[in-house]
């Protein structure tokens, strides 16, 4: 993130100011306190700073990644199932692996509500129902097959953000 020269300048100023991190950061406008202390430790250990930061070693081996992807592919292509069965990796890591290994895979949703292909007339009717208050917003949302926040999003979409605020039930 920071060049070798910027890091070295920060460390030298840090030493000059008596190892006062806040004073150094205030003077330079960068880095964070922990980054500065880490750079200083490296400087003390090596009497210089590495030109580039060392790449982080992967948390999981290639074999572990292959096992996880194999399980995913042979057990219904379900990330949750794979995570429960293997106990690793985290959801974000597994999702990244799946996207890398199977780029053509589309994401699916188990949401209760549909994709949201509602006409403007349906949205207007829902907003009118919201303002008439003959039934609760939750009941109205269920009737139109959307979530309650979607009703309020439609209200903002149709009437604009300056529309009078209503009490939410």
């Amino acid at each position: 993130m920071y060049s070798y020269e910027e890091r070295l300048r920060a460390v030298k100023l840090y030493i000059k100011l008596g190892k006062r991190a806040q004073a150094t950061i205030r003077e330079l406008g960068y880095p964070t306190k922990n980054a500065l202390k880490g750079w200083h430790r490296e400087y003390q250990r090596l009497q210089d700073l590495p030109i580039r930061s060392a790449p982080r070693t992967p948390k999981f081996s290639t074999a572990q990644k292959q096992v996880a992807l194999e399980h995913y592919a042979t057990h219904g292509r379900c990330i949750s199932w794979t995570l429960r069965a293997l106990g690793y990796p985290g959801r974000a890591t597994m999702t990244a692996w799946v996207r890398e290994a199977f780029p053509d895979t589309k994401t699916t949703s188990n949401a209760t509500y549909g994709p949201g292909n509602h006409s403007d007339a349906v949205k207007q009717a829902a907003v009118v129902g919201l303002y008439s208050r003959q039934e609760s917003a939750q009941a109205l949302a269920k009737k139109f097959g959307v979530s309650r926040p979607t009703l309020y999003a439609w209200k903002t979409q149709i009437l604009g953000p300056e529309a009078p605020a209503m009490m939410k039930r």
Side-chain angles (χ1 to χ4, degrees):
M1 187 164 157
Y2 295 103
S3 70
Y4 170 78
E5 292 80 18
E6 290 171 324
R7 290 181 292 133
L8 189 59
R9 178 177 173 220
V11 169
K12 288 185 176 183
L13 184 61
Y14 178 65
I15 293 167
K16 179 182 170 187
L17 295 176
K19 297 182 184 176
R20 292 176 27 226
Q22 289 304 321
T24 306
I25 294 167
R26 192 172 28 256
E27 178 83 20
L28 296 174
Y30 70 93
T32 63
K33 178 182 74 169
N34 289 338
L36 181 59
K37 288 182 177 185
W39 295 345
H40 180 255
R41 275 192 304 276
E42 281 293 302
Y43 186 78
Q44 282 182 317
R45 191 170 62 84
L46 304 172
Q47 294 304 308
D48 197 9
L49 290 172
I51 302 278
R52 288 193 190 139
S53 58
R56 185 179 287 176
T57 57
K59 197 171 188 178
F60 301 100
S61 69
T62 307
Q64 288 174 311
K65 181 177 177 179
Q66 290 303 335
V67 167
L69 289 171
E70 179 68 26
H71 187 280
Y72 170 81
T74 58
H75 290 85
R77 291 183 169 238
C78 179
I79 289 175
S80 294
W81 184 271
T82 301
L83 297 177
R84 275 192 302 261
L86 300 178
Y88 75 92
R91 181 170 297 280
T93 302
M94 186 66 196
T95 301
W97 289 352
V98 166
R99 286 183 179 154
E100 178 186 320
F102 307 102
D104 57 325
T105 302
K106 300 271 189 228
T107 58
T108 59
S109 173
N110 292 339
T112 306
Y113 304 105
N117 298 329
H118 297 88
S119 68
D120 289 339
V122 169
K123 292 178 183 179
Q124 272 186 330
V127 171
V128 167
L130 198 58
Y131 269 92
S132 71
R133 286 302 196 196
Q134 294 177 352
E135 56 188 320
S136 73
Q138 189 61 46
L140 195 62
K142 196 172 200 171
K143 178 176 162 184
F144 283 95
V146 296
S147 66
R148 205 168 143 265
T150 299
L151 284 180
Y152 289 99
W154 287 353
K155 176 193 72 104
T156 303
Q157 180 185 0
I158 293 171
L159 303 176
E162 300 301 317
M166 300 183 312
M167 271 183 40
K168 294 180 183 179
R169 288 190 197 177

